Amino acid sequence: MTGALGLHLLQHVALVDSPRRSVLARLDDDGRLTDLVEAAGDDEVTAAAAAAEGRVLVVDAPLVVPGDAGRRDVEAVLAWCDVTAFPVSRRRLVQVTGGARGPLLAAALERPGRLLAEGLPDLVLRQIAWERDHPPGAPALDLGDYRAAWIGVRAPVYRPKGTGRARPDGVRAAWDLLAGVVDLAGWRPSAAADDWSAIADAAVIDAVCGAYAGLRVARGEGLLVGTPARGMVAVPAGADLRARIEATLVRLRAEGAIAV
């Protein structure tokens, strides 16, 4: 099995039957976008994932929700590393999205020989932006210097908020970051001025970010934070973020604050 897959899963239950779509993207081992597939209902999403080839499938949605309230260990770890992640609990997902679609589809998204993980598109774009000035192979900075610099790096704001309007300027900025690290094979944001085009473009950005995170993990240029049973996120990471995450895991485990 080759390549990596990213799935933008439309999480808001009330929008599943709307014109908005989930999107599956595939990058080959050379980082070239080879497939973009739109999918509506659960059957279309799982069929698209089953038919696609990829060593890793990264979904931009929670796939495991062990608790009714609070947050998962993986969000706690990332928060200590100044990485914003939605605090996942069953109660929160019902409040925000109307339900937990990811866990219902997780088993159907699995495939022998394929790693299944969650992804954070904003973190992917933030890491790409960081690596424009700090190449992935460069030695780690002093931790204090890294923290101060990392806090100043932000991902473009491109995703519609809930059922809200699109953000085409943010979509173009996100596209520019992705185009610097993968071959998008001619795909670029639509020139149309309507909201639906920009919303669809944002879904593609999310899917490609997932595929890129999966490719980085497959190449050994990323980390898997968490566990499949308690929530696991694929993180593209250079030496700085890797060192900080690993140190945070050691500390929180020693304190008994996490179980991953």
Side-chain angles (χ1 to χ4, degrees), residues 32-123:
R32 183 177 186 274
L33 181 64
T34 61
D35 293 290
L36 280 176
V37 180
E38 292 187 349
D42 292 354
D43 290 344
E44 287 187 20
V45 169
T46 55
E53 181 179 353
R55 292 178 286 171
V56 184
L57 170 58
V58 176
V59 185
D60 68 340
L63 299 174
V64 177
V65 188
D68 288 324
R71 64 180 178 180
R72 302 177 301 177
D73 288 347
V74 63
E75 285 103 41
V77 172
L78 293 174
W80 277 104
C81 298
D82 296 307
V83 173
T84 302
F86 182 82
V88 173
S89 68
R90 282 188 286 270
R91 183 182 305 164
R92 180 64 66 88
L93 287 177
V94 169
Q95 290 173 342
V96 175
T97 68
R101 194 180 183 203
L104 295 176
L105 295 182
L109 294 173
E110 292 180 344
R111 180 175 169 183
R114 174 186 289 166
L115 172 69
L116 181 65
E118 300 170 23
L120 301 172
D122 290 343
L123 173 57

Side-chain angles (χ1 to χ4, degrees), residues 133-148:
D133 297 320
H134 306 85
L141 300 176
D142 171 80
L143 180 57
D145 292 340
Y146 169 62
R147 289 190 62 183

Side-chain angles (χ1 to χ4, degrees), residues 7-254:
L7 174 62
H8 162 68
L9 182 65
L10 189 60
Q11 297 181 60
H12 204 295
V13 175
L15 298 177
V16 171
D17 293 325
S18 77
R20 293 172 66 164
R21 293 289 181 266
S22 297
V23 176
L24 183 75
R26 180 181 184 272
L27 296 176
D28 66 17
D29 284 342
D30 294 322
R32 183 177 186 274
L33 181 64
T34 61
D35 293 290
L36 280 176
V37 180
E38 292 187 349
D42 292 354
D43 290 344
E44 287 187 20
V45 169
T46 55
E53 181 179 353
R55 292 178 286 171
V56 184
L57 170 58
V58 176
V59 185
D60 68 340
L63 299 174
V64 177
V65 188
D68 288 324
R71 64 180 178 180
R72 302 177 301 177
D73 288 347
V74 63
E75 285 103 41
V77 172
L78 293 174
W80 277 104
C81 298
D82 296 307
V83 173
T84 302
F86 182 82
V88 173
S89 68
R90 282 188 286 270
R91 183 182 305 164
R92 180 64 66 88
L93 287 177
V94 169
Q95 290 173 342
V96 175
T97 68
R101 194 180 183 203
L104 295 176
L105 295 182
L109 294 173
E110 292 180 344
R111 180 175 169 183
R114 174 186 289 166
L115 172 69
L116 181 65
E118 300 170 23
L120 301 172
D122 290 343
L123 173 57
V124 173
L125 293 170
R126 193 177 175 193
Q127 184 65 25
I128 294 171
W130 170 264
E131 290 176 0
R132 282 186 162 183
D133 297 320
H134 306 85
L141 300 176
D142 171 80
L143 180 57
D145 292 340
Y146 169 62
R147 289 190 62 183
W150 173 253
I151 290 173
V153 178
R154 290 287 180 265
V157 179
Y158 67 94
R159 194 178 301 104
K161 185 175 182 179
T163 58
R165 298 177 66 86
R167 296 176 165 116
D169 290 344
V171 168
R172 286 189 288 271
W175 173 85
D176 180 67
L177 286 170
L178 283 173
V181 295
V182 300
D183 179 355
L184 292 172
W187 182 85
R188 58 189 309 122
S190 171
D194 63 288
D195 268 358
W196 287 120
S197 295
I199 288 171
D201 289 340
V204 172
I205 295 292
D206 282 345
V208 175
C209 282
Y212 180 67
L215 193 60
R216 289 281 295 256
V217 168
R219 290 173 173 171
E221 300 169 356
L223 293 174
L224 293 169
V225 183
T227 66
R230 298 179 63 86
M232 183 170 70
V233 173
V235 177
D240 297 291
L241 185 54
R242 178 185 293 271
R244 191 170 179 194
I245 288 174
E246 290 175 345
T248 300
L249 285 167
V250 169
R251 178 174 60 82
L252 294 181
R253 286 166 179 162

